[in-house]
Amino acid sequence: MGVFPDFDGLGGIGDLRAVVGALLTLVLIVAVLMLIVSAIVWAIATAHGNYATASKGRIGVLVAIGAAVLAGGGVAWMNWLLNLGQQL
């Protein structure tokens, strides 16, 4: 039984792939910039004893890492599902 998604069934699917790829790139760039800024804020606030701001910097670091993991993991998961579908 050969059931698989027909990616050519929709018009403009190539444009959709280009838009999704551009959005993924934008998300990863913003996540890296957010990680850098949050880490700097966390380090400076901790060094000066401002623990409330340090806590917000730490949360920013964790959110940036989570966003990058979700963006990259979503692509890996979708590729895994497509490969699994082609094997069936």
Side-chain angles (χ1 to χ4, degrees):
M1 180 173 202
V3 177
F4 57 92
D6 183 17
F7 291 115
D8 295 326
L10 294 172
I13 196 74
D15 295 335
L16 180 63
R17 285 184 183 183
V19 168
V20 169
L23 286 175
L24 178 63
T25 303
L26 182 65
V27 166
L28 291 176
I29 289 171
V30 168
V32 168
L33 291 175
M34 183 179 165
L35 177 68
I36 292 169
V37 170
S38 295
I40 291 170
V41 167
W42 184 8
I44 292 173
T46 302
H48 288 282
N50 192 345
Y51 298 111
T53 305
S55 173
K56 292 182 187 204
R58 182 176 57 236
I59 290 171
V61 166
L62 295 175
V63 167
I65 291 172
V69 166
L70 286 176
V75 172
W77 184 45
M78 186 57 65
N79 287 334
W80 180 77
L81 288 174
L82 289 174
N83 287 333
L84 180 67
Q86 290 176 355
Q87 291 176 359
L88 295 177

